[in-house]
Amino acid sequence: MSDQLYPYFLSLWQKLQTFQTPDNGPGTTRLAFTDADQMSRRWIQEIWEDIGLSTHIDGVGNVVGTLGTPPYILIGSHTDTVPHGGNYDGILGLLAATAVAHDWLDLDRGLMVVDWSSEESSRFGISTLGSRLAVGENQTSYWGTQDQSGMTLSEAVHQSYGYPDIPILNLCEYPIKAALELHIEQGTELQEHQCALGIVTAIAAPQRWSVIVDGQANHSAGTAMGRRTDALAAAAQLTLAIEALSTELESSGLRSTMTRLNVLPGAANVVPGQVIGLIDVRAQSQAVLSRYRKALNTTRHRIEEQRHVQIRLAKISGETPGALDPSLREIMQQVLEHRKVRWMHLPSWPSHDSLPLSRHVPSAMLLVRNPSGLSHNSEETLDAEDIQAALTAFYAIVVSVHEHIGGSCQC
């Protein structure tokens, strides 16, 4: 293995930062299906072709490269970002996979490298879109969703990458041994435990629920306090209840947040008659998700009775939690211990492309220490020493998986 993994990674990282939407804000903005997204993907395709990979871009923007003889180990991540995002979320894993392919010498063993499209939900509210579609988890409800300009996902995908005229990658057509992803930790557990790297045990399934609180709009001066049916006061009570319930269940593997409240009619002199909210739920198991839903329904009914409002909850989108492959985790552990890297097991609360992949292909993730814990933030950063340790360990893990995992899986 070459000692040039990190310098090569750094050169790619510096170039990738030039592909972004100019908006005079901090950080990197490269939303899915924008010009910046398309240019970055065509650039990475050129890089992979120069390395010697056979490549194509599918109808939704997944960039796919293969090298060597199948069965493949699938490595990669994503290059799309949130608005004003950091320079490592997804990018670290994708460029690490590129560095592995650049130094790959054993062409009797195959690599598949993928830059997954639209991993972030920032534009259309659907996360891990490219990887979900590649494993056949297509839902007709995806295609009509709109961004803030009113453009539908279907229109954006067709204009950018050509779907449905150009087909979507079908992973079931490829013999794959395992899927591996390297990613920055989006929290502080590794830093708190003074570990450079972390082996992910499970990925919390993201779900998003709508909440509508119906009260009665009325004059804010003319309506006595005891005669009000204030939808915002009820929504505030529900928000605090969600916070308390999530704190109670966090050690069992659940976090949830009321992330948005739209107040109607929103006039300065009107008691709010309706509030439309959005709840983000992250659960590491179906059991804890069921406990949460039951407790939240009990809370909802209590608030309805106390405040004489109606509260409606509905799931907008959701996934099932994903436990990562124990055999692959064991291989990771052996490699890290052999290299004397300080590591720990931990769950991933944020979702990743490894989550839909894990439902169809043996999958594993390696996280890199995030000194500040900041992510989805322009000040997201990593220490150079941790990046170097992660790159060399990841390369060794890919080699070891090829050596110890036989056969292949086709979803």
Side-chain angles (χ1 to χ4, degrees):
M1 181 179 57
S2 169
D3 294 329
Q4 297 302 306
L5 282 172
Y6 180 69
Y8 181 69
F9 166 90
L10 189 59
S11 69
L12 296 177
W13 182 81
Q14 291 168 338
K15 178 63 176 179
L16 184 56
Q17 291 182 67
T18 67
F19 298 103
Q20 58 176 301
T21 301
D23 59 4
N24 300 317
T28 299
T29 300
R30 191 165 46 246
L31 300 186
F33 314 119
T34 60
D35 289 344
D37 177 61
Q38 295 175 61
M39 288 189 293
S40 71
R41 290 173 184 277
R42 292 189 170 90
W43 167 75
I44 201 67
Q45 182 184 28
E46 292 175 2
I47 295 295
W48 291 354
E49 288 178 347
D50 288 344
I51 292 172
L53 279 72
S54 300
T55 74
H56 74 278
I57 301 179
D58 77 0
V60 295
N62 290 319
V63 190
V64 186
T66 55
L67 181 69
T69 305
Y72 301 107
I73 293 179
L74 171 58
I75 54 177
S77 195
H78 65 97
T79 51
D80 66 304
T81 74
V82 301
H84 311 298
N87 286 315
Y88 293 98
D89 178 4
I91 295 161
L92 170 68
L94 192 281
L95 298 185
T98 304
V100 169
H102 178 265
D103 277 28
W104 196 250
L105 299 176
D106 187 356
L107 296 184
D108 289 333
R109 293 172 170 170
L111 296 178
M112 173 182 282
V113 190
V114 182
D115 183 358
W116 296 110
S117 183
S118 192
E119 193 273 351
E120 302 289 1
S121 60
S122 301
R123 186 172 178 189
F124 289 99
I126 303 167
S127 62
T128 62
L129 177 70
S131 52
R132 285 201 222 186
L133 295 175
V135 293
E137 296 182 6
N138 193 351
Q139 295 184 25
T140 56
S141 59
Y142 294 165
W143 301 102
T145 58
Q146 297 181 340
D147 65 8
Q148 291 183 344
S149 73
M151 176 176 284
T152 66
L153 173 61
S154 179
E155 292 168 338
V157 167
H158 182 73
Q159 290 178 17
S160 301
Y161 300 110
Y163 178 78
D165 298 329
I166 297 175
I168 300 171
L169 167 68
N170 181 1
L171 279 186
C172 296
E173 295 178 349
Y174 295 85
I176 297 172
K177 283 189 174 186
L180 306 174
E181 184 175 6
L182 181 68
H183 205 281
I184 183 173
E185 185 194 10
Q186 295 169 293
T188 57
E189 271 198 78
L190 293 175
Q191 177 71 10
E192 290 165 2
H193 289 84
Q194 298 183 353
C195 291
L197 302 176
I199 298 172
V200 178
T201 55
I203 302 174
Q207 296 203 354
R208 291 186 174 90
W209 301 353
S210 69
V211 54
I212 300 175
V213 182
D214 289 312
Q216 185 176 62
N218 212 335
H219 199 293
S220 60
T223 311
M225 300 303 293
R227 296 182 60 84
R228 298 180 179 209
T229 309
D230 188 329
L232 180 55
Q237 188 174 344
L238 181 64
T239 301
L240 293 174
I242 287 170
E243 181 184 54
L245 180 59
S246 301
T247 301
E248 178 186 335
L249 292 176
E250 184 173 28
S251 62
S252 298
L254 184 134
R255 291 174 180 169
S256 68
T257 312
M258 183 78 82
T259 58
R260 186 171 67 211
L261 292 174
N262 295 332
V263 183
L264 302 172
N269 59 350
V270 180
V271 175
Q274 186 181 69
V275 173
I276 301 172
L278 185 67
I279 306 172
D280 179 84
V281 184
R282 308 288 172 136
Q284 292 179 26
S285 71
Q286 199 63 41
V288 72
L289 183 62
S290 298
R291 284 176 60 193
Y292 174 77
R293 181 183 288 277
K294 183 178 179 180
L296 187 59
N297 276 329
T298 300
T299 299
R300 175 188 64 156
H301 294 318
R302 185 177 68 249
I303 296 172
E304 287 178 325
E305 291 177 2
Q306 290 175 348
R307 294 192 171 273
H308 307 291
V309 297
Q310 182 183 24
I311 302 175
R312 291 172 281 161
L313 292 171
K315 187 171 80 171
I316 299 173
S317 63
E319 297 186 62
T320 56
L324 297 187
D325 188 83
S327 298
L328 296 176
R329 286 159 41 196
E330 177 66 24
I331 290 172
M332 283 185 165
Q333 178 177 338
Q334 291 172 358
V335 169
L336 297 185
E337 290 180 348
H338 177 73
R339 302 188 66 81
K340 295 180 170 52
V341 177
R342 189 171 172 84
W343 68 278
M344 64 180 286
H345 285 119
L346 74 169
S348 174
W349 288 99
S351 180
H352 305 282
D353 289 304
S354 290
L355 179 56
L357 294 179
S358 71
R359 295 192 283 267
H360 302 269
V361 177
S363 301
M365 282 194 76
L366 189 68
L367 298 183
V368 184
R369 172 169 48 193
N370 182 338
S372 68
L374 292 174
S375 188
H376 285 189
N377 184 298
S378 61
E379 297 187 30
E380 175 185 80
T381 188
L382 289 173
D383 289 340
E385 289 184 2
D386 287 347
I387 296 175
Q388 292 182 64
L391 291 173
T392 55
F394 191 66
Y395 188 103
I397 287 166
V398 176
V399 172
S400 188
V401 170
H402 255 311
E403 290 175 346
H404 292 95
I405 301 294
S408 65
C409 173
Q410 290 181 295
C411 60

